[in-house]
């Protein structure tokens, strides 16, 4: 522990750190070097992130308001103060967001002869096109609900966009009716591309298509004037269920809880700030909202839809295509099992093909020598080739065990659906162990040859999801090394029994020995530094929040250990503090691919130890989830991973410095430019 017991160690609140991460996402939308349409898509990512933040994190902090003082002392922060800080930061970010969109991006789109127009900017011909589209496609999907002040207000769904419509006559504007329309973005695109004119491209948002045609919706009323204001309600996404309730009972519990989530408590109400004050007061009262729930916004909400902004066949305004590469050594082998037997193999996603993982399972499904397939699934695609390969294996008589985590937040419904499909096809499905999520990404296949079983494993830092594998940067390791496979056998044996225990010498498994072994490695570096020897720790992860490990990293810094950390998201550690964290440097890379791999490297007196894992250094990953970290035993693969870490550390295009000022300053680029994601792609020829 620190040399002075009275020394106060610095920690940044995780919610505030997350908002600083999302600000880095918004930086990409500001960056003029990012293709213009991609900047709009980064605004969509920023907005989608913020939705999830309110649904989960703000909802959690809000629930803290009702706990007693003893529990508040235990969580070590003041929820009232944090909620106030969150609102201040979000409002500032919202102002930056609106200014960027209205004052910069729309103008730059116009310079490229692309115009996002409103209903007031439609000429006669485009107006006819919009009205026909509305009547043919949109009107049948609309369910306008009239609002009566003496009746309950219509229920607003979580994250859906609504138009609050004021119907009135100009001569008597105070006598009006209100109506609510949900935008049918689940069945129609948010963007309508209008016919091109003189090489000019026009887009109108679905919101404004409906605004233009409000007379068609409310023609039965005797009103001539219509105003429409966008609102969106974000609800608490927490699911309540009995963690000890397993298997089919758990399925039932989840199905019921998912329905309850849709009616969760409001945590944020975003409204068009041009909305008349009397209507806003009415909405606030009818929905029992507090002032803290109210977030003023612009004319449009749910910018998350901009993730799907149309490409318009304009290549220079979109990222160029980067096709994933082949791995010649795997292509040249008739059998992927033979290639893995020769040596360990590493796939760099998304730079190399995810197909090899699908091939691994497809070959297993039809290979007569394969007897069993065991796999942990957390987030899988709705149309999953991974799942289909597992079903095919069961049809071919293999014993297939799928450990499918139902509590994968926002993927619960998809995982419930796949559970039933698996069971129907003869796949054995297990869910959870008591009080824990199973977050590990591991697959183990047994193959009998000449009377002996040989095991082949795949261990990844990311999900078995071919869709996210196109945009997430991850490592995926194939190995038949017995030191690893023999211990993965133990993991699956215990999961099948509904427990998590065992004695592991090579792999690290949380909550058993992952934390203790990481602490052991860091303490060894501390010891070496105190002996005057070179000592270093290099971490790459998504989030760093665990206070015990952060304290130990501070201790390492004070002992002289050089600590480098690349973190994508939350970082509660504060680097660069005098006498505490002067030897710790932290950077964050935000680029076209989402940095998702977790790597833990310890210098170990020159005999470097490198692990990959799906685990972040968070309390939940270390103590409340089943995670697996595996050492990289193949020297060439270890060198490859360390080379990529070094390359990412040299990034001076997309890397930001995480410092005590928390200002997301870019790494200086006065040296030769290094954009690590593009350099990695080129390196993997």
């Amino acid at each position: 522990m620190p040399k002075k017991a009275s020394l106060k160690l610095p920690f940044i609140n995780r919610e505030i750190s997350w908002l600083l991460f999302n600000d880095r996402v918004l930086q990409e939308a500001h960056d003029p070097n990012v293709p213009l349409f991609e900047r709009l898509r980064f605004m969509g990512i920023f907005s989608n992130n913020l939705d999830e933040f309110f649904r989960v994190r703000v909802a959690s902090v809000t629930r803290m308001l009702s706990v007693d003082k003893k529990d508040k002392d235990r969580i070590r922060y003041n929820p009232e103060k944090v909620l106030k800080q969150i609102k201040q930061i979000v409002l500032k970010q919202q102002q930056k967001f609106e200014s960027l969109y209205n004052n910069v991006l729309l103008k730059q789109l116009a310079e490229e002869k692309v115009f996002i127009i409103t209903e007031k900017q439609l000429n006669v011909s485009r107006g006819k096109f919009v009205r026909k589209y509305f009547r043919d496609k949109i009107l049948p999907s609309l369910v306008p609900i009239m609002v009566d002040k003496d009746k309950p207000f219509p229920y607003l769904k979580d994250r859906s966009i609504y138009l609050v419509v004021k119907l009135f006559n100009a001569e008597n504007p105070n006598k009006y009716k209100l109506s609510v329309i949900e935008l049918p973005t689940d069945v129609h695109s948010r963007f309508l591309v209008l016919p091109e004119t003189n090489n000019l491209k026009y887009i109108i948002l679905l919101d404004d298509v409906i605004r233009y045609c409000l007379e068609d919706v409310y023609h039965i009323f005797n009103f001539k004037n219509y105003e429409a204001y966008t609102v969106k309600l974000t609800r608490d996404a927490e699911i309540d269920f009995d963690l000890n309730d397993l298997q089919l009972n758990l399925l039932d519990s989840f199905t019921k809880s998912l329905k309850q989530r849709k009616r969760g408590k409001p945590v944020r109400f975003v409204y068009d700030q041009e909305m008349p004050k009397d209507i806003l007061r009415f909405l606030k009262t009818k929905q029992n909202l507090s002032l803290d729930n109210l977030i003023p916004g612009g004319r449009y909400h749910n910018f998350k839809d901009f993730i799907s902004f149309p490409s318009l066949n304009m290549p220079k305004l979109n990222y160029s295509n980067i096709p994933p590469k082949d791995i010649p050594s795997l292509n040249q082998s008739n059998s992927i099992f033979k290639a893995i037997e020769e040596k360990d193999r590493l796939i760099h996603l998304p730079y190399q093909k995810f197909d090899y993982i699908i091939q691994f399972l497809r070959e297993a499904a039809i290979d007569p020598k394969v007897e069993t397939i065991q796999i942990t699934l957390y987030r899988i695609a709705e149309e999953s080739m991974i799942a289909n390969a597992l079903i095919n294996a069961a049809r071919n008589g293999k014993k297939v065990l799928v450990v499918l985590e139902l509590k994968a937040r926002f993927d619960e419904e998809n995982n419930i659906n796949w559970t039933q499909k698996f069971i129907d096809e003869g796949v054995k499905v297990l869910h959870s162990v008591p009080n824990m999520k199973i977050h590990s990404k591991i697959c183990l296949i047994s193959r009998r040859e000449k009377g002996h079983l040989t095991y082949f494993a795949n261990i990844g830092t990311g999900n078995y999801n071919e869709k996210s594998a196109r945009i997430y940067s991850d490592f995926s390791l194939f190995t038949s090394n017995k030191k690893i496979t023999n211990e993965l056998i133990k993991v699956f044996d215990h999961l099948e029994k509904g427990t998590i225990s065992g004695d592991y010498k090579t792999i690290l498994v949380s909550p058993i020995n992952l934390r203790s072994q990481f602490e052991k490695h860091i303490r060894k570096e501390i010891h070496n530094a105190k002996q005057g020897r070179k000592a270093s720790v290099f971490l790459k992860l998504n989030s760093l929040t665990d206070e015990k490990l952060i304290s130990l990293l501070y201790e390492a810094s004070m002992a002289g250990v050089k600590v480098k950390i690349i973190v994508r998201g939350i970082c509660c550690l504060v680097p660069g503090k005098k006498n505490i964290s002067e030897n710790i440097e932290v950077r964050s890379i935000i680029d076209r691919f989402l940095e998702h791999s977790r790597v833990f490297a310890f210098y170990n007196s020159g005999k470097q130890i490198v692990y990959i894992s799906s685990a972040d250094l968070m309390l939940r990953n270390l103590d409340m989830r089943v995670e697996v970290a595996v050492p990289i035993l193949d020297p060439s693969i270890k060198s490859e991973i360390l080379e990529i870490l070094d390359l990412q550390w040299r990034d001076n295009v997309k890397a930001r410095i995480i410092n005590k000022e928390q200002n997301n300053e870019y790494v200086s680029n006065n040296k030769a430019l290094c954009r690590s994601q593009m350099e990695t792609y080129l390196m993997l020829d």
Side-chain angles (χ1 to χ4, degrees), residues 318-539:
N318 297 276
Y319 278 138
S320 58
N321 186 36
I322 297 183
K325 296 183 176 183
D326 289 328
I327 302 175
S329 61
L330 290 179
N331 287 349
Q332 292 161 6
S333 179
N334 291 330
S335 166
I336 196 166
F337 295 116
K338 288 182 180 178
I340 298 168
E341 269 188 314
E342 290 171 6
K343 70 183 296 291
D344 290 358
R345 309 285 178 170
L346 184 70
I347 304 176
H348 301 262
L349 302 168
Y351 312 107
Q352 295 173 323
K353 290 182 176 178
F354 184 80
D355 298 12
Y356 297 110
I357 299 170
I358 298 169
Q359 180 187 338
F360 182 59
L361 291 170
R362 281 180 174 165
E363 185 175 327
I366 61 174
D367 184 346
K369 295 177 182 178
V370 167
E371 296 187 357
T372 64
I373 302 174
Q374 299 170 293
I375 191 169
T376 59
L377 297 179
Y378 194 74
R379 301 188 193 277
I380 53 176
E382 289 185 19
E383 302 294 330
S384 173
M385 289 183 281
I386 292 287
N388 289 335
L390 294 167
I391 288 170
N392 192 39
R395 289 172 177 170
N396 276 289
K398 317 299 180 187
K399 180 183 176 184
V400 181
L401 171 67
V402 171
V403 184
L404 181 58
E405 181 50 72
L406 287 184
K407 300 187 293 293
R409 197 186 302 271
F410 305 133
D411 276 82
E412 300 96 342
E413 192 167 355
N414 185 48
N415 288 359
I416 288 171
N417 293 337
W418 274 114
T419 292
Q420 197 56 57
K421 290 178 185 177
F422 282 138
I423 291 172
D424 290 345
E425 295 288 352
V427 174
K428 183 175 181 180
V429 181
L430 300 176
H431 298 129
S432 301
V433 293
N435 302 309
M436 285 194 189
K437 283 185 180 181
I438 299 171
H439 190 254
S440 58
K441 314 300 189 297
I442 54 176
C443 178
L444 187 66
I445 293 173
S446 71
R447 189 170 182 271
R448 187 175 296 276
E449 192 161 9
K450 296 178 182 178
H452 298 286
L453 279 178
T454 303
Y455 288 86
F456 299 84
N458 176 263
I459 305 98
T461 64
N463 293 296
Y464 289 108
N465 186 317
E466 53 269 36
K467 185 177 179 181
S468 62
R470 295 196 292 267
I471 55 173
Y472 283 32
S473 170
D474 275 302
F475 291 121
S476 186
L477 177 72
F478 289 116
T479 184
S480 61
N481 191 305
K482 291 182 180 179
K483 289 183 179 179
I484 292 174
T485 60
N486 286 346
E487 296 197 346
L488 289 177
I489 293 170
K490 294 182 188 178
V491 173
F492 279 108
D493 283 347
H494 286 290
L495 291 177
E496 198 160 5
K497 295 172 185 173
T499 63
I500 183 64
S501 57
D503 182 24
Y504 301 98
K505 304 294 184 186
T506 302
I507 70 173
L508 309 182
V509 180
S510 68
I512 299 168
N513 67 340
L514 197 152
R515 176 191 288 278
S516 62
Q517 287 301 305
F518 277 180
E519 289 177 349
K520 179 181 175 182
H521 288 308
I522 296 171
R523 291 196 182 281
K524 186 172 183 180
E525 298 301 319
I526 292 172
H527 172 78
N528 288 341
K530 288 180 176 179
Q531 296 299 312
R533 295 193 289 269
K534 181 178 177 180
S536 69
V537 175
F538 201 146
L539 309 176

Side-chain angles (χ1 to χ4, degrees), residues 68-234:
D68 58 32
K69 185 179 184 305
K70 182 179 178 181
D71 285 330
K72 284 184 180 179
D73 291 341
R74 184 174 54 82
I75 63 175
R76 296 182 60 181
Y77 67 83
N78 184 320
E80 291 93 341
K81 182 179 178 182
V82 169
L83 285 171
K84 184 177 180 180
Q85 287 179 293
I86 287 171
K87 187 166 185 177
Q88 290 172 343
I89 294 171
V90 167
L91 287 174
K92 285 181 181 178
Q93 289 181 343
Q94 189 69 37
Q95 290 168 1
K96 286 167 59 178
F97 185 98
E98 297 287 346
S99 176
L100 174 62
Y101 179 72
N102 292 312
N103 302 327
V104 178
L105 295 182
L106 288 181
K107 291 179 181 178
Q108 292 185 4
L109 285 169
E111 291 170 7
E112 298 291 343
K113 299 182 180 180
V114 177
F115 300 90
I116 299 178
I117 60 175
T118 71
E119 78 281 6
K120 295 178 181 178
Q121 296 169 300
L122 290 168
N123 62 17
V124 174
S125 63
R126 285 191 285 272
K128 286 182 179 178
F129 180 88
V130 166
R131 196 171 295 278
K132 184 176 188 313
Y133 174 79
F134 175 81
R135 289 173 175 173
D136 291 347
K137 303 289 185 182
I138 305 303
L139 185 57
S141 304
L142 295 185
V143 184
I145 300 175
M146 302 307 294
V147 175
D148 189 326
K149 65 180 181 179
D150 296 323
K151 294 181 180 179
F153 192 80
Y155 174 77
L156 302 185
K157 294 192 296 189
D158 177 41
R159 297 193 303 164
S160 292
I161 323 168
Y162 293 87
L163 290 178
V164 176
V165 184
K166 178 181 178 181
L167 296 77
F168 65 100
N169 290 316
E171 60 271 18
N172 192 4
N174 292 324
K175 187 176 181 180
Y176 60 83
K177 283 186 177 292
L178 287 181
S179 180
V180 174
I181 302 176
E182 179 185 355
L183 268 65
T185 53
D186 54 341
V187 291
H188 299 290
S189 171
R190 186 79 181 276
F191 307 99
L192 175 61
V193 179
L194 302 175
E196 189 173 313
T197 307
N198 299 324
N199 293 322
L200 304 178
K201 299 180 187 294
Y202 296 93
I203 295 173
I204 186 170
L205 270 69
L206 179 60
D207 321 35
D208 292 334
V209 169
I210 296 173
R211 284 186 170 101
Y212 187 71
C213 300
L214 284 173
E215 187 177 355
D216 287 2
V217 179
Y218 300 105
H219 62 90
I220 67 169
F221 294 101
N222 189 27
F223 292 108
K224 297 178 182 178
N225 301 93
Y226 307 94
E227 294 174 358
Y229 304 95
T230 314
V231 299
K232 180 178 73 172
L233 194 65
T234 306

Side-chain angles (χ1 to χ4, degrees), residues 586-638:
V586 184
R587 296 181 182 177
S588 181
I589 297 170
I590 306 291
D591 201 349
R592 67 177 292 176
F593 300 127
L594 184 141
E595 292 291 337
H596 194 249
S597 58
R598 289 85 158 186
V599 183
F600 310 94
F602 307 95
Y603 187 69
N604 191 40
S605 302
K607 299 177 182 178
Q608 294 228 39
I609 297 172
V610 176
Y611 293 92
I612 64 168
S613 180
S614 58
D616 286 306
L617 297 187
M618 306 177 75
L619 178 67
R620 68 186 189 191
N621 298 87
L622 298 168
D623 297 340
M624 295 179 285
R625 287 185 174 186
V626 177
E627 298 275 17
V628 173
V630 297
I632 302 300
L633 301 178
D634 183 285
S636 63
I637 293 178
K638 185 188 297 185

Side-chain angles (χ1 to χ4, degrees), residues 619-659:
L619 178 67
R620 68 186 189 191
N621 298 87
L622 298 168
D623 297 340
M624 295 179 285
R625 287 185 174 186
V626 177
E627 298 275 17
V628 173
V630 297
I632 302 300
L633 301 178
D634 183 285
S636 63
I637 293 178
K638 185 188 297 185
S639 296
E640 199 173 317
I641 291 175
L642 290 171
E643 185 178 355
I644 287 175
L645 287 182
D646 180 65
L647 182 62
Q648 292 183 325
W649 192 255
R650 289 188 282 112
D651 192 310
N652 57 10
V653 176
K654 293 297 185 180
R656 284 77 158 173
I657 299 170
I658 307 299
N659 54 24

